[in-house]
Coordinates of all heavy atoms in Angstrom, one line a residue:
P254 N 13.5 -0.9 4.9 CA 12.3 -1.8 4.8 C 12.6 -3.1 4.1 O 13.2 -3.2 3.1 CB 11.4 -0.9 3.9 CG 11.8 0.5 4.2 CD 13.3 0.4 4.4
G255 N 12.1 -4.2 4.7 CA 12.3 -5.5 4.2 C 13.3 -6.3 5.0 O 13.3 -7.6 4.9
A256 N 14.2 -5.6 5.8 CA 15.1 -6.4 6.6 C 14.4 -7.2 7.6 O 13.4 -6.8 8.2 CB 16.0 -5.4 7.3
I257 N 14.9 -8.4 7.9 CA 14.3 -9.4 8.8 C 15.2 -9.5 10.0 O 16.3 -10.2 9.9 CB 13.9 -10.7 8.2 CG1 13.0 -10.5 7.0 CG2 13.2 -11.6 9.2 CD1 12.7 -11.8 6.2
Q258 N 14.9 -8.9 11.1 CA 15.7 -9.0 12.3 C 15.3 -10.3 13.1 O 14.1 -10.7 13.1 CB 15.5 -7.8 13.2 CG 16.0 -6.5 12.6 CD 15.8 -5.3 13.6 OE1 14.8 -5.2 14.2 NE2 16.8 -4.5 13.7
I259 N 16.3 -10.8 13.8 CA 16.0 -11.9 14.8 C 16.4 -11.4 16.2 O 17.6 -11.4 16.5 CB 16.7 -13.2 14.4 CG1 16.5 -13.6 12.9 CG2 16.3 -14.3 15.4 CD1 15.0 -14.0 12.6
P260 N 15.5 -11.0 17.0 CA 15.8 -10.6 18.3 C 16.1 -11.7 19.3 O 16.0 -12.9 18.8 CB 14.6 -9.8 18.8 CG 13.5 -10.4 18.0 CD 14.0 -10.9 16.7
G261 N 16.3 -11.5 20.5 CA 16.7 -12.5 21.5 C 15.7 -13.6 21.7 O 16.1 -14.7 22.0
N262 N 14.4 -13.3 21.5 CA 13.4 -14.4 21.6 C 13.3 -15.3 20.4 O 12.5 -16.2 20.4 CB 12.0 -13.8 22.0 CG 11.4 -13.0 20.8 OD1 12.0 -12.9 19.7 ND2 10.3 -12.4 21.0
G263 N 14.1 -15.0 19.4 CA 14.1 -15.9 18.2 C 13.0 -15.8 17.2 O 12.8 -16.5 16.3
K264 N 12.1 -14.8 17.5 CA 10.9 -14.6 16.6 C 11.2 -13.4 15.6 O 11.5 -12.3 16.0 CB 9.7 -14.2 17.5 CG 9.4 -15.1 18.6 CD 8.9 -16.5 18.2 CE 8.6 -17.3 19.4 NZ 7.7 -18.4 19.2
P265 N 11.1 -13.7 14.3 CA 11.4 -12.7 13.3 C 10.6 -11.4 13.4 O 9.4 -11.5 13.7 CB 11.2 -13.4 12.0 CG 11.2 -14.9 12.3 CD 10.7 -15.0 13.7
I266 N 11.2 -10.3 13.1 CA 10.5 -9.0 12.9 C 10.9 -8.5 11.5 O 12.1 -8.4 11.1 CB 11.0 -8.0 13.9 CG1 10.8 -8.5 15.3 CG2 10.3 -6.7 13.7 CD1 11.4 -7.6 16.4
I267 N 9.8 -8.3 10.7 CA 10.1 -7.7 9.3 C 10.0 -6.2 9.4 O 8.9 -5.6 9.8 CB 9.1 -8.2 8.3 CG1 9.1 -9.8 8.3 CG2 9.4 -7.7 6.9 CD1 8.0 -10.3 7.3
I268 N 11.0 -5.5 9.1 CA 11.1 -4.0 9.2 C 10.3 -3.5 8.0 O 10.5 -3.9 6.8 CB 12.5 -3.5 9.1 CG1 13.3 -4.1 10.4 CG2 12.6 -2.0 9.1 CD1 12.7 -3.7 11.7
L269 N 9.4 -2.5 8.2 CA 8.6 -1.9 7.2 C 8.8 -0.4 7.1 O 9.8 0.2 7.6 CB 7.1 -2.3 7.4 CG 6.9 -3.8 7.3 CD1 5.5 -4.1 7.7 CD2 7.2 -4.3 5.9
K270 N 7.9 0.3 6.4 CA 8.2 1.7 5.9 C 8.4 2.7 7.0 O 9.2 3.7 6.8 CB 7.0 2.2 5.1 CG 6.9 1.4 3.7 CD 8.1 1.6 2.9 CE 7.9 1.0 1.5 NZ 7.0 1.7 0.6
D271 N 7.7 2.6 8.2 CA 7.9 3.6 9.2 C 8.9 3.2 10.3 O 8.9 3.8 11.4 CB 6.5 3.9 9.9 CG 5.6 4.8 9.0 OD1 6.1 5.2 8.0 OD2 4.5 5.0 9.4
A272 N 9.7 2.2 10.0 CA 10.7 1.7 11.0 C 11.8 2.7 11.2 O 12.2 3.5 10.4 CB 11.2 0.4 10.7
Q273 N 12.5 2.6 12.4 CA 13.7 3.3 12.6 C 14.7 3.0 11.6 O 14.6 1.9 10.9 CB 14.2 3.0 14.1 CG 14.8 1.6 14.2 CD 13.8 0.4 14.3 OE1 12.6 0.7 14.2 NE2 14.3 -0.8 14.5
T274 N 15.8 3.8 11.5 CA 16.7 3.6 10.4 C 18.0 2.8 10.8 O 18.9 2.6 10.0 CB 17.2 4.9 9.8 OG1 17.7 5.7 10.9 CG2 16.0 5.7 9.2
T275 N 18.1 2.5 12.1 CA 19.2 1.7 12.6 C 18.6 0.6 13.6 O 17.5 0.8 14.1 CB 20.3 2.5 13.3 OG1 19.6 3.1 14.5 CG2 20.9 3.6 12.4
G276 N 19.4 -0.4 13.8 CA 19.0 -1.5 14.7 C 20.1 -2.3 15.1 O 21.2 -2.4 14.4
G277 N 20.0 -3.0 16.3 CA 21.1 -3.7 16.9 C 20.8 -5.2 16.9 O 21.5 -5.9 17.7
Y278 N 19.8 -5.7 16.1 CA 19.6 -7.2 16.0 C 20.2 -7.7 14.7 O 20.2 -7.0 13.7 CB 18.1 -7.5 16.1 CG 17.4 -7.2 17.4 CD1 16.2 -6.5 17.4 CD2 18.0 -7.6 18.6 CE1 15.6 -6.2 18.6 CE2 17.3 -7.3 19.8 CZ 16.1 -6.6 19.8 OH 15.5 -6.3 21.0
K279 N 20.6 -9.0 14.8 CA 21.1 -9.6 13.6 C 20.0 -9.8 12.5 O 18.9 -10.1 12.9 CB 21.8 -10.9 13.9 CG 23.1 -10.8 14.7 CD 23.6 -12.1 15.3 CE 24.8 -11.9 16.1 NZ 25.2 -13.1 16.8
K280 N 20.4 -9.6 11.3 CA 19.4 -9.7 10.2 C 19.7 -10.9 9.3 O 20.8 -11.0 8.7 CB 19.5 -8.4 9.3 CG 19.1 -7.2 10.1 CD 19.3 -5.9 9.3 CE 20.8 -5.5 9.3 NZ 21.3 -5.2 10.7
I281 N 18.8 -11.8 9.3 CA 19.0 -13.1 8.7 C 18.7 -13.0 7.1 O 19.3 -13.8 6.4 CB 18.1 -14.2 9.3 CG1 18.5 -15.6 8.8 CG2 16.6 -14.0 9.0 CD1 17.9 -16.7 9.6
A282 N 17.8 -12.1 6.7 CA 17.5 -12.0 5.3 C 16.8 -10.7 5.1 O 16.5 -9.9 6.0 CB 16.5 -13.1 4.9
T283 N 16.5 -10.4 3.8 CA 15.9 -9.1 3.4 C 14.8 -9.5 2.3 O 15.1 -10.2 1.4 CB 16.9 -8.1 2.8 OG1 17.9 -7.9 3.7 CG2 16.2 -6.8 2.4
V284 N 13.6 -9.0 2.5 CA 12.5 -9.2 1.6 C 12.8 -8.4 0.3 O 13.2 -7.3 0.4 CB 11.2 -8.8 2.2 CG1 10.0 -8.9 1.2 CG2 10.9 -9.5 3.5
I285 N 12.6 -9.0 -0.9 CA 12.8 -8.3 -2.1 C 11.7 -7.2 -2.2 O 10.6 -7.3 -1.7 CB 12.7 -9.2 -3.4 CG1 11.3 -9.8 -3.5 CG2 13.8 -10.3 -3.2 CD1 11.2 -10.6 -4.9
S286 N 12.0 -6.2 -3.0 CA 11.2 -5.0 -3.0 C 9.8 -5.2 -3.5 O 8.8 -4.7 -2.9 CB 11.8 -3.9 -3.8 OG 12.1 -4.3 -5.1
F287 N 9.6 -6.1 -4.5 CA 8.2 -6.3 -5.0 C 7.4 -7.0 -4.0 O 6.2 -6.7 -3.8 CB 8.3 -7.2 -6.3 CG 6.9 -7.5 -6.8 CD1 6.1 -6.5 -7.4 CD2 6.3 -8.8 -6.6 CE1 4.8 -6.8 -7.9 CE2 5.1 -9.1 -7.1 CZ 4.3 -8.1 -7.7
D288 N 8.0 -7.9 -3.2 CA 7.1 -8.6 -2.2 C 6.8 -7.8 -1.0 O 6.0 -8.2 -0.1 CB 7.9 -9.9 -1.8 CG 7.7 -11.0 -2.8 OD1 7.2 -10.7 -3.9 OD2 8.1 -12.2 -2.6
L289 N 7.4 -6.6 -0.8 CA 6.9 -5.7 0.2 C 5.4 -5.3 -0.1 O 4.7 -5.1 0.9 CB 7.8 -4.4 0.3 CG 9.2 -4.6 0.8 CD1 10.0 -3.3 0.7 CD2 9.1 -5.1 2.3
S290 N 5.0 -5.2 -1.3 CA 3.6 -4.9 -1.7 C 2.7 -6.1 -1.2 O 1.6 -5.9 -0.8 CB 3.5 -4.6 -3.1 OG 4.1 -3.4 -3.5
K291 N 3.2 -7.3 -1.4 CA 2.4 -8.5 -1.0 C 2.3 -8.5 0.5 O 1.2 -8.7 1.1 CB 3.1 -9.8 -1.4 CG 3.0 -10.1 -2.9 CD 4.0 -11.2 -3.3 CE 3.6 -12.5 -2.8 NZ 4.4 -13.6 -3.3
L292 N 3.4 -8.1 1.2 CA 3.3 -8.0 2.7 C 2.3 -7.0 3.1 O 1.6 -7.2 4.1 CB 4.7 -7.6 3.2 CG 5.7 -8.8 3.5 CD1 7.0 -8.2 3.9 CD2 5.2 -9.7 4.6
A293 N 2.2 -5.9 2.4 CA 1.3 -4.8 2.8 C -0.1 -5.2 2.8 O -0.9 -4.6 3.5 CB 1.5 -3.6 1.8
Q294 N -0.4 -6.3 2.0 CA -1.8 -6.7 2.0 C -2.1 -7.9 2.9 O -3.2 -8.5 2.9 CB -2.1 -7.2 0.5 CG -2.0 -6.0 -0.5 CD -3.0 -4.9 -0.2 OE1 -4.0 -5.0 0.6 NE2 -2.8 -3.7 -0.8
L295 N -1.2 -8.2 3.8 CA -1.4 -9.2 4.8 C -1.7 -8.5 6.1 O -1.2 -7.4 6.4 CB -0.1 -10.1 5.0 CG 0.2 -11.0 3.8 CD1 1.6 -11.6 4.0 CD2 -0.8 -12.1 3.6
K296 N -2.5 -9.1 7.0 CA -2.9 -8.5 8.3 C -2.7 -9.5 9.4 O -2.4 -10.7 9.2 CB -4.4 -8.1 8.2 CG -5.3 -9.2 7.7 CD -6.6 -8.6 7.4 CE -7.6 -9.6 6.7 NZ -7.1 -10.1 5.4
P297 N -2.8 -9.1 10.6 CA -2.6 -10.0 11.8 C -3.4 -11.2 11.7 O -4.6 -11.2 11.3 CB -3.0 -9.1 13.0 CG -2.7 -7.7 12.6 CD -3.0 -7.7 11.1
G298 N -2.8 -12.4 11.9 CA -3.5 -13.7 11.8 C -3.1 -14.3 10.5 O -3.3 -15.6 10.3
D299 N -2.7 -13.6 9.5 CA -2.3 -14.2 8.2 C -0.9 -14.8 8.3 O -0.2 -14.6 9.2 CB -2.3 -13.1 7.1 CG -3.7 -12.7 6.7 OD1 -4.6 -13.4 7.0 OD2 -3.8 -11.6 6.0
K300 N -0.6 -15.7 7.3 CA 0.6 -16.6 7.5 C 1.6 -16.3 6.4 O 1.2 -15.9 5.3 CB 0.2 -18.0 7.4 CG -0.7 -18.4 8.6 CD -1.2 -19.9 8.5 CE -2.1 -20.3 9.6 NZ -2.6 -21.7 9.5
I301 N 2.9 -16.5 6.7 CA 4.0 -16.2 5.8 C 4.9 -17.4 5.7 O 5.2 -18.0 6.8 CB 4.8 -15.0 6.3 CG1 4.0 -13.7 6.1 CG2 6.1 -14.9 5.5 CD1 4.7 -12.5 6.7
R302 N 5.3 -17.8 4.5 CA 6.5 -18.7 4.4 C 7.5 -18.0 3.6 O 7.2 -17.1 2.7 CB 6.0 -19.9 3.6 CG 5.1 -20.9 4.4 CD 4.4 -21.9 3.5 NE 3.4 -21.4 2.6 CZ 3.6 -21.1 1.3 NH1 4.7 -21.4 0.7 NH2 2.6 -20.6 0.6
F303 N 8.8 -18.3 3.9 CA 9.9 -17.6 3.2 C 10.5 -18.5 2.2 O 10.7 -19.7 2.4 CB 10.9 -17.1 4.2 CG 10.4 -16.0 5.1 CD1 10.1 -16.4 6.5 CD2 10.2 -14.7 4.7 CE1 9.6 -15.4 7.3 CE2 9.7 -13.8 5.6 CZ 9.4 -14.1 6.9
R304 N 10.9 -17.9 1.0 CA 11.7 -18.7 0.0 C 12.9 -17.8 -0.4 O 12.7 -16.6 -0.7 CB 10.9 -19.0 -1.2 CG 11.7 -19.8 -2.2 CD 10.7 -20.4 -3.3 NE 10.1 -19.4 -4.1 CZ 10.7 -18.9 -5.3 NH1 11.9 -19.3 -5.6 NH2 10.0 -18.1 -6.0
T305 N 14.1 -18.4 -0.4 CA 15.3 -17.6 -0.7 C 15.5 -17.6 -2.3 O 15.3 -18.7 -2.9 CB 16.5 -18.2 0.0 OG1 17.6 -17.3 -0.3 CG2 16.8 -19.6 -0.4
I306 N 15.9 -16.5 -2.8 CA 16.3 -16.4 -4.2 C 17.6 -15.6 -4.2 O 18.0 -15.1 -3.2 CB 15.2 -15.6 -5.0 CG1 15.0 -14.2 -4.5 CG2 13.9 -16.4 -5.0 CD1 14.1 -13.4 -5.4
D307 N 18.2 -15.6 -5.4 CA 19.5 -14.8 -5.5 C 19.2 -13.4 -6.0 O 18.1 -13.1 -6.5 CB 20.6 -15.6 -6.2 CG 20.2 -15.8 -7.7 OD1 19.4 -15.1 -8.2 OD2 20.7 -16.8 -8.3
L308 N 20.3 -12.6 -6.1 CA 20.1 -11.2 -6.5 C 19.7 -11.1 -7.9 O 18.9 -10.2 -8.3 CB 21.5 -10.5 -6.2 CG 21.4 -8.9 -6.4 CD1 20.4 -8.3 -5.5 CD2 22.8 -8.4 -6.2
S309 N 20.2 -12.0 -8.8 CA 19.9 -11.8 -10.2 C 18.4 -12.1 -10.4 O 17.7 -11.5 -11.2 CB 20.7 -12.8 -11.0 OG 20.5 -14.1 -10.7
E310 N 17.8 -13.1 -9.6 CA 16.4 -13.4 -9.8 C 15.6 -12.2 -9.3 O 14.5 -11.9 -9.8 CB 16.1 -14.7 -9.0 CG 14.7 -15.1 -9.3 CD 14.3 -16.5 -8.6 OE1 15.3 -17.1 -8.1 OE2 13.2 -16.9 -8.7
A311 N 16.1 -11.6 -8.2 CA 15.4 -10.4 -7.6 C 15.3 -9.3 -8.7 O 14.3 -8.6 -8.9 CB 16.0 -9.9 -6.4
H312 N 16.4 -9.1 -9.4 CA 16.5 -8.1 -10.4 C 15.5 -8.4 -11.6 O 14.9 -7.5 -12.1 CB 17.9 -7.9 -11.0 CG 18.8 -7.2 -10.0 ND1 20.2 -7.2 -10.2 CD2 18.6 -6.5 -8.9 CE1 20.8 -6.5 -9.2 NE2 19.8 -6.1 -8.4
K313 N 15.4 -9.7 -11.9 CA 14.5 -10.1 -12.9 C 13.1 -9.9 -12.6 O 12.3 -9.4 -13.4 CB 14.7 -11.6 -13.2 CG 13.8 -12.2 -14.3 CD 14.1 -13.7 -14.5 CE 13.1 -14.3 -15.5 NZ 13.3 -15.7 -15.6
I314 N 12.7 -10.1 -11.3 CA 11.4 -9.9 -10.8 C 11.0 -8.4 -10.9 O 9.9 -8.0 -11.2 CB 11.2 -10.4 -9.4 CG1 11.2 -12.0 -9.4 CG2 9.9 -9.9 -8.8 CD1 11.4 -12.6 -8.0
L315 N 12.0 -7.6 -10.5 CA 11.8 -6.1 -10.5 C 11.6 -5.6 -12.0 O 10.7 -4.8 -12.2 CB 13.1 -5.4 -10.0 CG 13.0 -3.9 -9.8 CD1 11.9 -3.5 -8.9 CD2 14.3 -3.3 -9.3
A316 N 12.4 -6.2 -12.9 CA 12.2 -5.8 -14.3 C 10.8 -6.3 -14.8 O 10.1 -5.5 -15.6 CB 13.3 -6.4 -15.2
E317 N 10.4 -7.5 -14.4 CA 9.1 -8.0 -14.8 C 8.0 -7.1 -14.3 O 6.9 -6.9 -15.0 CB 8.9 -9.4 -14.3 CG 9.8 -10.4 -15.1 CD 9.7 -11.8 -14.5 OE1 9.2 -12.0 -13.3 OE2 10.3 -12.8 -15.1
T318 N 8.2 -6.6 -13.1 CA 7.1 -5.7 -12.5 C 7.0 -4.4 -13.3 O 5.9 -4.0 -13.6 CB 7.5 -5.4 -11.0 OG1 7.7 -6.6 -10.3 CG2 6.5 -4.5 -10.4
E319 N 8.1 -3.9 -13.7 CA 8.1 -2.6 -14.5 C 7.4 -2.9 -15.8 O 6.6 -2.1 -16.3 CB 9.5 -2.0 -14.6 CG 10.1 -1.5 -13.3 CD 9.3 -0.5 -12.6 OE1 8.7 0.4 -13.3 OE2 9.2 -0.5 -11.4
N320 N 7.7 -4.1 -16.4 CA 7.1 -4.4 -17.7 C 5.6 -4.6 -17.5 O 4.8 -4.2 -18.4 CB 7.7 -5.7 -18.2 CG 9.1 -5.5 -18.7 OD1 9.5 -4.4 -19.1 ND2 9.9 -6.6 -18.8
K321 N 5.2 -5.2 -16.4 CA 3.7 -5.4 -16.1 C 3.0 -4.0 -16.0 O 1.9 -3.8 -16.5 CB 3.6 -6.2 -14.8 CG 2.1 -6.4 -14.5 CD 2.0 -7.3 -13.2 CE 0.6 -7.6 -12.8 NZ 0.5 -8.4 -11.6
I322 N 3.7 -3.1 -15.3 CA 3.1 -1.7 -15.2 C 2.9 -1.1 -16.5 O 1.9 -0.4 -16.8 CB 3.9 -0.9 -14.2 CG1 3.7 -1.4 -12.8 CG2 3.5 0.6 -14.2 CD1 4.6 -0.8 -11.7
N323 N 3.9 -1.2 -17.4 CA 3.8 -0.7 -18.7 C 2.7 -1.3 -19.5 O 2.0 -0.6 -20.3 CB 5.2 -0.8 -19.5 CG 6.2 0.1 -18.9 OD1 5.9 1.2 -18.4 ND2 7.5 -0.3 -19.0
K324 N 2.6 -2.6 -19.4 CA 1.5 -3.3 -20.0 C 0.1 -2.8 -19.5 O -0.8 -2.7 -20.3 CB 1.6 -4.8 -19.7 CG 2.5 -5.6 -20.6 CD 2.0 -5.7 -22.1 CE 2.9 -6.6 -22.9 NZ 2.3 -6.6 -24.3
I325 N 0.0 -2.6 -18.2 CA -1.2 -2.1 -17.7 C -1.6 -0.7 -18.3 O -2.7 -0.5 -18.7 CB -1.1 -2.0 -16.1 CG1 -1.2 -3.3 -15.5 CG2 -2.3 -1.1 -15.6 CD1 -0.9 -3.4 -14.0
K326 N -0.6 0.1 -18.4 CA -0.8 1.5 -19.0 C -1.3 1.3 -20.5 O -2.2 2.0 -20.9 CB 0.5 2.3 -19.1 CG 1.0 2.7 -17.7 CD 2.4 3.4 -17.9 CE 3.0 3.8 -16.6 NZ 4.3 4.4 -16.8
E327 N -0.7 0.4 -21.2 CA -1.0 0.2 -22.6 C -2.4 -0.4 -22.9 O -3.0 -0.2 -23.9 CB 0.0 -0.7 -23.3 CG 1.4 0.0 -23.3 CD 2.5 -1.1 -23.7 OE1 2.1 -2.2 -24.0 OE2 3.7 -0.7 -23.8
T328 N -2.9 -1.1 -21.9 CA -4.1 -2.0 -22.1 C -5.3 -1.5 -21.3 O -6.3 -2.3 -21.2 CB -3.8 -3.4 -21.8 OG1 -3.4 -3.6 -20.5 CG2 -2.7 -4.0 -22.8
L329 N -5.3 -0.4 -20.6 CA -6.4 0.1 -19.8 C -7.7 0.1 -20.7 O -7.7 0.6 -21.8 CB -6.1 1.5 -19.3 CG -5.1 1.6 -18.1 CD1 -4.8 3.0 -17.8 CD2 -5.6 0.9 -16.9
K330 N -8.8 -0.4 -20.1 CA -10.1 -0.3 -20.7 C -10.8 1.0 -20.4 O -10.9 1.4 -19.2 CB -10.9 -1.5 -20.3 CG -10.3 -2.9 -20.6 CD -11.0 -4.0 -19.9 CE -12.4 -4.3 -20.6 NZ -13.0 -5.5 -20.0
V331 N -11.3 1.6 -21.4 CA -12.1 2.9 -21.2 C -13.5 2.5 -20.8 O -14.2 1.7 -21.4 CB -12.1 3.7 -22.5 CG1 -13.0 5.0 -22.3 CG2 -10.7 4.2 -22.8
L332 N -14.0 3.2 -19.7 CA -15.3 3.0 -19.2 C -16.1 4.3 -19.6 O -15.6 5.4 -19.6 CB -15.4 2.8 -17.7 CG -14.6 1.7 -17.1 CD1 -14.7 1.7 -15.6 CD2 -15.1 0.4 -17.6
K333 N -17.4 4.0 -20.0 CA -18.3 5.2 -20.3 C -19.2 5.4 -19.2 O -19.9 4.4 -18.7 CB -19.0 4.9 -21.6 CG -18.2 4.7 -22.8 CD -17.6 6.0 -23.3 CE -16.8 5.9 -24.6 NZ -16.2 7.2 -25.0
Y334 N -19.3 6.6 -18.7 CA -20.3 7.0 -17.6 C -21.3 8.0 -18.2 O -20.9 8.9 -18.9 CB -19.6 7.6 -16.4 CG -19.0 6.5 -15.5 CD1 -17.8 6.0 -15.7 CD2 -19.8 6.1 -14.4 CE1 -17.2 5.0 -14.8 CE2 -19.3 5.1 -13.6 CZ -18.0 4.6 -13.8 OH -17.5 3.6 -12.9
F335 N -22.6 7.7 -17.9 CA -23.6 8.6 -18.4 C -24.4 9.2 -17.3 O -24.6 8.5 -16.3 CB -24.6 7.8 -19.3 CG -23.9 7.2 -20.5 CD1 -23.4 5.9 -20.5 CD2 -23.8 7.9 -21.7 CE1 -22.8 5.3 -21.6 CE2 -23.2 7.4 -22.8 CZ -22.7 6.1 -22.8
K336 N -24.7 10.4 -17.4 CA -25.5 11.1 -16.4 C -27.0 10.8 -16.6 O -27.5 11.1 -17.6 CB -25.2 12.6 -16.5 CG -25.7 13.5 -15.4 CD -25.2 14.9 -15.6 CE -25.7 15.8 -14.4 NZ -25.2 17.2 -14.7
V337 N -27.6 10.2 -15.6 CA -29.0 9.8 -15.6 C -29.7 10.5 -14.5 O -29.3 10.5 -13.3 CB -29.1 8.3 -15.5 CG1 -30.6 7.8 -15.5 CG2 -28.4 7.6 -16.6
K338 N -30.9 11.0 -14.8 CA -31.7 11.7 -13.8 C -32.9 10.8 -13.4 O -33.7 10.3 -14.2 CB -32.3 13.0 -14.5 CG -33.1 13.9 -13.4 CD -33.6 15.2 -14.1 CE -34.2 16.1 -13.1 NZ -34.7 17.3 -13.8
V339 N -32.9 10.6 -12.1 CA -34.0 9.7 -11.5 C -34.5 10.4 -10.3 O -33.8 10.8 -9.3 CB -33.4 8.3 -11.0 CG1 -34.5 7.5 -10.4 CG2 -32.8 7.6 -12.2
N340 N -35.9 10.6 -10.3 CA -36.5 11.3 -9.1 C -35.8 12.6 -8.8 O -35.5 12.9 -7.6 CB -36.6 10.4 -7.9 CG -37.5 9.2 -8.1 OD1 -38.4 9.3 -8.9 ND2 -37.2 8.1 -7.5
E341 N -35.5 13.4 -9.8 CA -34.9 14.7 -9.7 C -33.5 14.7 -9.2 O -33.0 15.7 -8.8 CB -35.8 15.6 -8.7 CG -37.2 15.8 -9.1 CD -37.4 16.3 -10.6 OE1 -36.6 17.3 -10.9 OE2 -38.2 15.8 -11.3

Side-chain angles (χ1 to χ4, degrees):
I257 303 176
Q258 293 181 320
I259 307 295
N262 65 4
K264 308 288 183 160
I266 302 171
I267 306 176
I268 298 301
L269 297 172
K270 294 296 185 73
D271 282 356
Q273 73 282 4
T274 58
T275 61
Y278 295 133
K279 292 170 181 172
K280 297 171 283 294
I281 193 169
T283 303
V284 178
I285 66 169
S286 56
F287 177 74
D288 281 8
L289 288 175
S290 289
K291 288 169 67 176
L292 274 175
Q294 297 298 347
L295 294 169
K296 51 190 173 298
D299 289 345
K300 298 177 180 177
I301 291 173
R302 290 169 286 104
F303 295 105
R304 180 168 69 86
T305 183
I306 62 173
D307 60 27
L308 188 58
S309 63
E310 190 174 354
H312 286 168
K313 182 181 176 184
I314 291 167
L315 186 61
E317 289 172 348
T318 303
E319 294 302 321
N320 288 337
K321 180 177 180 179
I322 290 173
N323 287 331
K324 278 287 185 185
I325 288 172
K326 292 178 186 175
E327 294 167 0
T328 61
L329 287 172
K330 298 171 72 173
V331 174
L332 302 177
K333 297 289 186 183
Y334 277 87
F335 298 93
K336 191 174 180 180
V337 177
K338 187 177 182 181
V339 179
N340 294 332
E341 304 303 317

